[in-house]
Amino acid sequence: MAAGLDKVSLPFKLYCLTVMTLVAAAYIVGLRYTRTTTGDMYFATTAVCLTEVAKLIVSFAMLTRETGSVRGMAKSVWEDVIVNRKETLKLAIPSLVYALQNNMGYVALSNLDAAVYQVTYQLKIPCTALCTVLMLGRSLSRLQWFSVFVLCGGVTLVQWTPAESTKVMVEQNPFLGFMAIAVAVVCSGFAGVYFERVLKSSNTSLWVRNIQMYLWGILVTFLGVVTNDGSAVMEKGFLHGYTPMVWFVIFLASVGGLYTSVVVKYTDNIMKGFSAAAAIVLSTVASMHLFGLQVGLLFMVGTFLVCLSIYMYGLPRTDTTKLTPPPGSEAEHRKPSTSI
């Protein structure tokens, strides 16, 4: 473990992981709840757009803290975001991909139980690993490759016999939900690695990069509102169907990334693996009580394999599969980072 991590107390690490676990589980379960309640349904596209707005506001606040004043924040935004348009333009691609990913998340959770979604969405790990190998020229240990196959097997078992939610009365399409997760997984892997590559191409502040990305994100998601729900929004209003729970879900989505950053900085992959596994367990228990989820043996075995694979993927490396870095990529072989 790095020396920097040793200086952080264990209670603080546990606090960070606990908050991250609760936020992750509450977000998935809360979003699922808002998409399966009866009554006026809110527009998912507007929720995604407002989430981008909330993230932008948080990024402005964090940049202000980093620079020490509002004037320093404004100067940084002017020089790095507005004047340096070439660098800002680089973030248009991940913004578009993340917007698609977030919208697919709403589609998936409108058609699949929260626990099924949480387990299946862990396919982002092998997708991110593959993108890391191809785009950054890094390497995976044999144990990590093995954990990827274990994870895929676990997800297959979970999907083998579709789980039923007896308390959900809205119409659902499990196949559409699974396809939405598949698109979200690919988007997550590509956009995450692309954003990492942009971050490491210069010494630009993380919060400046976030502001660049969220500005594009607001534009892209607003165009999504106009394209998909424009006439309905004009008729019923931008905030049609919003409830306190919907606002809570938007809040969780906007602050979740902050806690992820803290966990990445102050903990290691093993502890993050425990957090992801705990979030899956919490989502499953909550789904059984809130949505009447009926889990069978295959679901439980598959979930166990997924949790086990997450743990194995984060173990310290003892051997690596050497790869030749592609032109323009980093030459060093570091441990691939995943947003578990």
Side-chain angles (χ1 to χ4, degrees), residues 131-207:
C131 290
T132 301
V133 170
L134 296 178
M135 297 171 63
L136 299 182
R138 295 181 183 172
S139 62
L140 298 179
S141 68
R142 294 189 182 92
L143 180 61
Q144 287 174 319
W145 280 118
F146 176 71
S147 69
V148 166
F149 287 107
V150 172
L151 187 146
C152 293
V155 171
T156 300
L157 291 179
V158 168
Q159 293 290 338
W160 194 266
T161 303
E164 296 184 0
S165 301
T166 58
K167 296 181 182 180
V168 175
M169 309 314 303
V170 297
E171 184 178 354
Q172 300 178 100
N173 186 336
F175 177 76
L176 176 62
F178 180 76
M179 295 306 297
I181 290 183
V183 174
V185 161
V186 174
C187 290
S188 175
F190 172 78
V193 175
Y194 183 98
F195 185 57
E196 180 183 352
R197 186 165 186 168
V198 171
L199 281 178
K200 294 186 176 180
S201 65
S202 68
N203 293 324
T204 305
S205 165
L206 168 64
W207 301 111

Side-chain angles (χ1 to χ4, degrees), residues 55 58-59 62 207 210 253-264:
K55 289 179 179 179
V58 172
S59 296
M62 297 304 295
W207 301 111
N210 280 339
S254 61
V255 302
L258 289 177
Y259 279 105
T260 301
S261 300
V262 172
V263 169
V264 168

